[in-house]
Amino acid sequence: MPVLSRKPGEKVVIGNGLTVTVVEVTGNRVRVGIDAPDDVRILRAELASWQDEPSDRDEAADPMGTRCRYR
């Protein structure tokens, strides 16, 4: 796994359409912005298993079909 040092405002480009920007660093917290194509799902690691759950659970969790692409 590559480990990079970046300052606020600096970016990392991954592949042909994914850009990660360091937005803010406060103490031990880092806020990042992610710019990606619409077909790329972006999830926090602790929610990654949610993406593998059966689709009927997805509908129950979001009955209006308004699921946000960013979690």
Side-chain angles (χ1 to χ4, degrees), residues 23-42:
V23 176
E24 179 181 19
V25 178
T26 305
N28 65 350
R29 299 196 79 169
V30 178
R31 292 183 64 213
V32 297
I34 303 169
D35 185 23
D38 289 338
D39 62 335
V40 175
R41 178 173 264 182
I42 299 169

Side-chain angles (χ1 to χ4, degrees), residues 43-51 53 71:
L43 295 173
R44 297 186 324 240
E46 61 271 21
L47 297 178
S49 62
W50 170 82
Q51 139 182 15
E53 291 179 7
R71 302 266 181 182

Side-chain angles (χ1 to χ4, degrees), residues 1-3 5-7 9-11 14-15 17 24 26-28 31 36 40 43-44 46 51 59 62 66 71:
M1 168 179 30
V3 177
S5 296
R6 300 280 80 199
K7 295 178 183 177
E10 294 182 332
K11 300 177 181 188
I14 303 169
E24 179 181 19
T26 305
N28 65 350
R31 292 183 64 213
V40 175
L43 295 173
R44 297 186 324 240
E46 61 271 21
Q51 139 182 15
E59 291 173 12
D62 188 18
T66 57
R71 302 266 181 182

